[in-house]
Amino acid sequence: MSENVKFIVTEINKLLGRNYNLIGFNSLSAEDLLQVLCAVLLKIQQQDNLDADIRIESPEESSIYILTTLRILNYQPDIDPVAFRQGLVRGDVEIIHPVLMWLLTHIDVVQKRAYLSRFLVKIEIPPEYLGDSEISLLHEQYLSLVDRFKTVHKEREIGKKNVETAAELATDLQAMGKEKEAVTARITKIKSKAESALHLLDSCRMLRTERDKERDLMSQKEQEEDTMSDLQNSLQRVERELQILKRDGIGLTPQILIQHLAEEVTVQTAIIKEKLPSELNAKKNRMRALSVVKEYSYLGPDKIIGMRNELDAILKDIQDLVESKISKNDIDKMEPFRQQAAAVGNMKRNALERLEKVESSLEELQLRLKEKQDHSRALLETSAPRAEELKKYVNRLKTKSTLYKRCKAEIASLKAEGGVLHRTVAILEGQIAQSYQADIVSKVVIPENYTLDNALTTNSQLSHSILALRTNLSPIIRDIKVLRQTARETDERYQKASKSHNTVETTMKNTTSDLLSETKRLKDKLLQDTEDKKQFEESIAKMKITEEKLRSEAKISSGSFNSVGQTLKQELRKTIVSEEKTLKNLNKEREKIREHTIQYESQTQQWNNIISIFSCKIQCAEESKQTDGIVVRRGGAETLVLQ
C-alpha cells in the first residue's frame, strides 16, 4: 500500500507541479482529496481551469462530474457501484486512491480517451427541440462532423503508423545499402584476388562432380554386390533343396510311390472310419450329458441322495449280471475272437495316437526349422563386424577380465583376512574366558575355620570388614580423584606451556637466525667498505703524489703546459713499457714453474709408487717371517730361528 501511495505522490507532483510528500498527502482531508482528483481529471482532459476550487460546488455536482468523467474514461470499480458512489461523495481514501492509481498508471490511454470524448461524446438534445428545422439541420451537420472526425482520426492513426514504418524502412534500407556496398567491395576484392586462380575454380568444380560420380558409382557397386550376395545365397539354398530332392529320389519307383500313397490312404481311412467316429460319439455323449445337466432346474440335497441311490442300484444290477454270466457253465466260443478284435482295435487306436503325436511334433520341428532358417538368413544378411570394432571389443573384454581378476583377488584376500580375524577372535575369546575363570577361582578364598555352622557369622564378619575397608578407602578414592584432576590440569598446563615454549623457541630461532644473517651481511659489507676505503685512500695518495710531481716539474721547467703534458706522456710510456716487460718476464716464469711442477709431480708420483711397493714387500716379509719362524736381531743382523 505504501508503494502505491509513493507512486501516486510522485506522479501527481510530476503531472500537476505540486510539492506533496508522503506524510502531507496522507494527511489531506476528504475535500482536498476530491480537489486533487478533480485537478487530475481536468489535467487529463487538458482544460485550463486547474485552479478551480471544488469546495465552492456542492458534493452532488462534484460527484456527478467525477462519475461522468470516469464513465467516459471507462473506469471499472472493484466494488459495488452504489458503495463506490457513496464513498466518492464522502471522499474516502479507499475509493479515491485506487482511482488515482488507475488513472496515473494508464495515463496515455486515459488522455487519448479524454481527447476523443471531447469530439465523440454526442450532445443530448431534447426531442421537442429537434422539431425545429434549424436545430435539426445543425444536429445533422454535427453528426456528420462527428463521423468525419472519426474517419480523419483513423486516417491520422494509420498515417502515424505508416510514417513510423516508413522511417523504420528507410533506416533499414540505408543499413542494407551500406551492407550491400561493403559486400560488393568485399566481392570485388575477392574477385581481384581470385582472377589469377579462376582455372582452379573450374578444376575444383570438375573434381567435385567427379567425386560425386565416384560416390554414386560406389553406392551402385555396393548395391550390386548386395544383390549378388543375395542371389548367391538363394542359389545355394535352391541347390541344397535340389540335392535333398535328388537324394530322396534315389531308388524311388512308381510302385514304391503308389505303395506309400496306399499306406497313407489306409491310415487316413482308418482315422476317418474308426478314430473320428469314436471321438465324435464321445463328444456327442458329453454334449448330451451336459444338456441333460443343463435341463435340471436345481438339484437339491434330496434329489442328489435319490440319484445316488439309483446309481447304487444300477451298479448292483450290473454286478449281479456279471456274476450270473461267470456262473454259467456253457463256454462261449467267440470270446477269444472278441478279445483278439479288441486287442487289434486297441493297437490301432494306440498307433493312431502315436501317429498324431508324431505329426504334431513334426509340425513343431518344421516351425522351429523355419525360424532357424529365417534367423540364419538374417545373420547372413547382416554385415560382419570390422577389424576396428573387433579390436575395440577385444580390448573391452581384456579390461573387464583384468578388472574381474583384480576384484576376485581382492575378494580372496578379504576372505582370507576375514578368516584370520575370525580365528584370532575365537582365540582371544578363549583366552578371555580362561583368564576370567582363573580370576574367579583365585578370588574365591574360603576361610580356614569355615563350616556350615558358623557360615552366618563369617558372612557377617566379612560384610563388616568390607564396610570398614570401603569406609577406609573412600577418603583415599576422593584424594585419588582430586590428584587425578590436579594431574589432568597440570598435564593441560604442561601441554599449553610446552606449546607456548615451542612457539617462542621457534620464533626466537627465526629471529636469531635473521639477526645472525643480518650481522654477517653487515660484517661482510663493513669489510668490503673498509677494503674499498683502503683502495680509495691508496688511489688518492697516488693521485696526490702525481699531482705533486706535476707541480714540481711545472715549477722547475717553468715552461708551457704542453711541455708538462709531453713529459707526463713520456713518463707514462716508460712506465707502460716497463710494466709490459715485467709482465712478459712473469709469464715466462709462470710457464717455467708450470713445467717444473708437472715434472716434479710425475717424479713424486713415481717415488710414492716405489715407496708403496717397498712397504708392501716389507709387510709381506714380516708376515712370512712370523708364520715361518722367529726373527732374532743381533748386531744389526737378523737371523730366522725355525720352529
Side-chain angles (χ1 to χ4, degrees):
M1 189 68 184
S2 61
E3 297 293 331
N4 295 333
V5 175
K6 286 180 183 178
F7 177 74
I8 291 166
V9 170
T10 53
E11 292 296 326
I12 286 171
N13 290 331
K14 289 179 184 178
L15 186 65
L16 302 178
R18 305 289 176 86
N19 194 13
Y20 289 121
N21 55 11
L22 191 62
I23 297 168
F25 188 78
N26 286 325
S27 62
L28 290 175
S29 62
E31 294 179 356
D32 294 333
L33 282 174
L34 288 172
Q35 187 177 2
V36 169
L37 181 58
C38 288
V40 170
L41 291 173
L42 291 170
K43 184 67 177 177
I44 288 169
Q45 289 180 348
Q46 295 180 358
Q47 295 183 8
D48 296 331
N49 54 350
L50 292 177
D51 297 330
D53 194 358
I54 196 170
R55 286 174 292 187
I56 61 175
E57 299 175 358
S58 62
E60 289 80 5
E61 291 178 355
S62 63
S63 62
I64 289 166
Y65 169 71
I66 293 168
L67 288 171
T68 52
T69 308
L70 292 175
R71 182 178 60 80
I72 291 167
L73 298 177
N74 197 11
Y75 175 72
Q76 300 294 330
D78 297 332
I79 59 174
D80 188 20
V82 177
F84 177 73
R85 292 192 192 94
Q86 292 175 359
L88 190 64
V89 170
R90 290 194 301 270
D92 292 339
V93 177
E94 292 81 4
I95 303 298
I96 294 172
H97 279 188
V99 174
L100 290 171
M101 187 71 187
W102 182 80
L103 291 171
L104 295 171
T105 51
H106 304 86
I107 188 70
D108 296 330
V109 178
V110 170
Q111 284 180 352
K112 187 175 181 181
R113 193 179 292 276
Y115 168 72
L116 293 174
S117 66
R118 291 171 61 187
F119 302 101
L120 296 179
V121 175
K122 295 179 182 179
I123 299 169
E124 295 180 359
I125 298 172
E128 58 267 15
Y129 292 109
L130 290 173
D132 193 357
S133 60
E134 293 180 358
I135 293 171
S136 62
L137 183 62
L138 290 171
H139 189 260
E140 289 176 358
Q141 290 178 0
Y142 169 70
L143 294 176
S144 63
L145 289 171
V146 168
D147 295 333
R148 187 179 176 187
F149 175 77
K150 287 180 181 179
T151 55
V152 170
H153 181 71
K154 287 180 182 179
E155 290 175 357
R156 180 173 174 273
E157 292 293 328
I158 293 167
K160 277 186 179 181
K161 291 181 181 179
N162 291 329
V163 168
E164 290 176 358
T165 54
E168 291 177 357
L169 290 171
T171 54
D172 292 336
L173 286 171
Q174 290 178 0
M176 290 171 71
K178 291 179 181 179
E179 290 178 358
K180 183 180 178 182
E181 290 176 357
V183 170
T184 51
R186 193 178 296 171
I187 289 167
T188 52
K189 286 181 182 179
I190 292 167
K191 282 183 178 180
S192 62
K193 289 180 181 179
E195 282 178 356
S196 61
L198 289 173
H199 63 283
L200 294 175
L201 292 173
D202 296 332
S203 60
C204 289
R205 194 178 296 107
M206 292 173 68
L207 178 63
R208 193 180 295 110
T209 54
E210 291 296 329
R211 283 183 178 176
D212 293 334
K213 288 180 181 179
E214 185 180 1
R215 197 179 297 110
D216 295 334
L217 290 171
M218 290 294 290
S219 62
Q220 289 178 3
K221 184 180 177 182
E222 289 177 356
Q223 290 177 1
E224 293 294 332
E225 287 178 354
D226 294 334
T227 53
M228 285 175 67
S229 63
D230 294 334
L231 291 171
Q232 286 178 359
N233 293 325
S234 61
L235 180 62
Q236 290 175 1
R237 187 174 62 255
V238 171
E239 286 178 352
R240 285 197 298 271
E241 291 177 357
L242 182 61
Q243 288 177 1
I244 291 165
L245 291 172
K246 285 181 179 180
R247 189 173 61 250
D248 294 336
I250 294 170
L252 284 175
T253 58
Q255 289 81 11
I256 295 169
L257 291 172
I258 290 166
Q259 187 178 358
H260 288 316
L261 290 172
E263 290 176 356
E264 190 173 355
V265 167
T266 53
V267 170
Q268 295 295 329
T269 52
I271 290 168
I272 292 166
K273 290 180 179 180
E274 295 180 3
K275 187 179 179 182
L276 292 177
S278 62
E279 290 180 355
L280 186 61
N281 290 324
K283 296 287 184 184
K284 285 180 179 179
N285 293 326
R286 183 171 176 78
M287 289 295 293
R288 196 178 296 111
L290 290 172
S291 62
V292 170
V293 171
K294 185 180 177 182
E295 288 176 358
Y296 286 111
S297 60
Y298 174 70
L299 293 175
D302 297 331
K303 288 184 178 181
I304 292 168
I305 292 166
M307 291 175 72
R308 283 180 179 175
N309 293 326
E310 290 177 359
L311 184 61
D312 293 335
I314 291 165
L315 290 172
K316 189 176 180 181
D317 293 336
I318 291 167
Q319 191 174 2
D320 293 336
L321 290 171
V322 170
E323 289 177 356
S324 64
K325 185 178 180 181
I326 291 168
S327 63
K328 285 182 180 180
N329 294 323
D330 55 344
I331 298 168
D332 192 2
K333 295 180 180 180
M334 297 296 291
E335 187 66 25
F337 298 103
R338 290 194 187 95
Q339 290 178 358
Q340 289 179 1
V344 171
N346 290 326
M347 289 172 66
K348 282 185 179 180
R349 197 178 300 109
N350 293 327
L352 291 172
E353 288 177 357
R354 286 199 301 274
L355 179 63
E356 188 176 359
K357 289 180 181 179
V358 169
E359 286 179 352
S360 62
S361 63
L362 180 62
E363 288 178 357
E364 290 178 358
L365 291 171
Q366 285 178 354
L367 289 172
R368 290 174 64 185
L369 179 63
K370 191 175 180 181
E371 290 177 357
K372 296 288 184 183
Q373 287 176 355
D374 295 334
H375 185 63
S376 63
R377 196 177 297 111
L379 289 174
L380 288 171
E381 288 176 357
T382 56
S383 61
R386 297 178 181 176
E388 294 179 356
E389 294 178 356
L390 284 172
K391 286 180 181 178
K392 289 180 181 178
Y393 180 69
V394 170
N395 292 325
R396 201 179 300 117
L397 285 176
K398 285 181 180 179
T399 54
K400 287 184 178 179
S401 63
T402 52
L403 182 63
Y404 171 73
K405 288 178 182 177
R406 187 169 65 250
C407 293
K408 191 175 180 181
E410 289 179 358
I411 290 166
S413 63
L414 290 171
K415 284 182 179 178
E417 189 175 357
V420 172
L421 291 172
H422 283 299
R423 179 63 179 165
T424 52
V425 167
I427 292 166
L428 290 171
E429 285 178 354
Q431 291 178 358
I432 289 164
Q434 290 177 3
S435 63
Y436 183 68
Q437 289 176 1
D439 292 337
I440 291 168
V441 171
S442 63
K443 286 178 182 177
V444 176
V445 178
I446 299 170
E448 294 178 355
N449 56 356
Y450 178 76
T451 58
L452 294 173
D453 297 330
N454 60 358
L456 293 172
T457 56
T458 53
N459 286 328
S460 62
Q461 289 176 2
L462 288 170
S463 62
H464 286 302
S465 62
I466 288 164
L467 289 171
L469 288 170
R470 283 181 180 175
T471 53
N472 293 325
L473 286 172
S474 59
I476 297 168
I477 290 166
R478 285 196 295 273
D479 295 336
I480 288 167
K481 287 181 180 178
V482 173
L483 290 171
R484 283 179 181 173
Q485 185 67 27
T486 53
R488 197 177 294 112
E489 290 176 356
T490 52
D491 288 333
E492 290 177 357
R493 287 200 298 273
Y494 173 73
Q495 293 291 334
K496 290 179 181 178
S498 63
K499 286 180 181 178
S500 62
H501 180 266
N502 291 326
T503 53
V504 170
E505 188 177 0
T506 52
T507 52
M508 289 295 290
K509 283 181 180 179
N510 293 325
T511 52
T512 52
S513 62
D514 294 335
L515 290 171
L516 289 171
S517 61
E518 186 69 23
T519 52
K520 188 176 181 181
R521 187 177 62 78
L522 291 171
K523 284 180 180 179
D524 295 334
K525 189 176 180 182
L526 183 61
L527 292 171
Q528 186 69 28
D529 291 337
T530 53
E531 289 178 357
D532 293 337
K533 184 180 178 182
K534 287 180 181 179
Q535 290 178 1
F536 287 137
E537 287 177 352
E538 289 176 357
S539 61
I540 288 165
K542 288 179 181 179
M543 290 173 70
K544 284 181 179 180
I545 291 165
T546 53
E547 187 178 0
E548 288 177 357
K549 285 181 180 180
L550 290 171
R551 285 178 181 176
S552 62
E553 287 179 357
K555 287 178 181 180
I556 293 165
S557 60
S558 66
S560 64
F561 184 75
N562 291 325
S563 62
V564 174
Q566 288 177 359
T567 54
L568 182 61
K569 282 181 181 180
Q570 289 176 1
E571 288 182 358
L572 289 172
R573 283 175 184 174
K574 288 178 182 179
T575 53
I576 289 165
V577 170
S578 62
E579 291 293 331
E580 286 179 354
K581 286 180 181 179
T582 53
L583 183 62
K584 286 180 181 179
N585 294 324
L586 290 170
N587 287 326
K588 288 179 181 179
E589 289 178 358
R590 187 177 65 184
E591 292 293 332
K592 289 179 181 179
I593 290 165
R594 188 179 294 169
E595 291 175 358
H596 287 298
T597 52
I598 292 166
Q599 187 176 1
Y600 292 153
E601 283 178 357
S602 62
Q603 287 180 0
T604 52
Q605 186 68 30
Q606 289 175 2
W607 283 112
N608 289 324
N609 292 330
I610 291 165
I611 290 164
S612 62
I613 290 165
F614 278 112
S615 63
C616 288
K617 285 183 178 181
I618 291 164
Q619 189 176 0
C620 291
E622 291 288 336
E623 289 177 356
S624 63
K625 287 177 182 179
Q626 288 178 2
T627 54
D628 294 336
I630 298 169
V631 179
V632 179
R633 293 183 178 86
R634 290 178 183 175
E638 294 180 355
T639 57
L640 180 63
V641 180
L642 298 174
Q643 293 180 356

